[in-house]
Amino acid sequence: MKILIIHGPNLNMLGKREPDIYGATTLEEINAALTSKAKGLGAEVTFFQSNSEGEIVSNIQDAMSKFEGVVINPGAYTHTSVAIRDAILSSGLPVVEVHISNVHKREDFRHKSFISGVALGVVSGFGVNSYMLGLSGLVDYLKDNENN
Ligand code: CA2
């Protein structure tokens, strides 16, 4: 079972800036933890990080033929990107939206997500564990729907 993990803009700075909001764990450490979690779940993960909206759109388009599902933290594009929403919808892939912070506890502009309405599910506010919970929920969903 192949899963794509997409990290959006600025997430390459994790662990290096604003640890009070986003924690001290680096993106490399998150990816290592996801690789090991995926192994335990019988899945395989591939990672992509980009600060560019267009690159994320292209990556989702490419994922259609290569992966069974996607876990995405769209970063600030969560609140602005119709293009990423459209790419997710047209991919037909199950996509789980994850956020490190609880976006609903933060500024009003973070309460709107263009992604949630086309996502299989959303996990927000559990720190880097949001990624693990999102991956586990996606793998459970794929196992339940394997023969459908
Ligand atoms: O909580 C999340 O995971 C967010 O997707 C993070 C985005 C934010 O715009 C969303 O509203 C919620 C921001 C990612 C910025 O990441 C940084 C990491 C370290 C230092 C600076 C930024």
Side-chain angles (χ1 to χ4, degrees):
M1 186 177 290
K2 289 182 194 291
I3 311 283
L4 175 65
I5 313 279
I6 301 178
H7 304 286
N10 292 308
L11 290 161
N12 53 315
M13 299 305 287
L14 281 172
K16 297 170 186 161
R17 299 267 193 285
E18 300 185 63
D20 44 321
I21 304 178
Y22 299 115
T25 312
T26 65
L27 193 62
E28 291 70 28
E29 289 167 338
I30 293 173
N31 289 348
L34 282 165
T35 300
S36 127
K37 174 87 181 173
K39 208 169 169 189
L41 296 168
E44 190 187 318
V45 280
T46 298
F47 303 100
F48 178 74
Q49 190 279 326
S50 178
N51 295 324
S52 151
E53 183 178 21
E55 281 182 10
I56 294 171
V57 167
S58 297
N59 192 260
I60 292 167
Q61 290 176 358
D62 291 348
M64 285 165 62
S65 53
K66 298 180 190 146
F67 299 96
E68 286 160 75
V70 177
V71 173
I72 184 169
N73 182 346
Y77 290 141
T78 305
H79 319 296
T80 63
S81 183
V82 177
I84 293 175
R85 177 194 172 95
D86 287 349
I88 289 171
L89 195 57
S90 78
S91 76
L93 288 168
V95 173
V96 176
E97 174 188 350
V98 301
H99 298 286
I100 295 167
S101 62
N102 177 350
V103 289
H104 297 287
K105 254 174 138 174
R106 301 183 63 193
E107 303 95 323
D108 285 355
F109 69 84
R110 295 186 204 274
H111 299 176
K112 166 76 185 169
S113 168
F114 282 88
I115 311 304
S116 300
V118 295
L120 173 67
V122 182
V123 184
S124 182
F126 293 93
V128 297
N129 198 33
S130 292
Y131 283 96
M132 312 303 150
L133 295 167
L135 176 64
S136 153
L138 177 60
V139 170
D140 276 352
Y141 170 85
L142 289 170
K143 283 179 182 166
D144 285 349
N145 290 276
E146 226 157 25
N147 301 314
N148 303 332

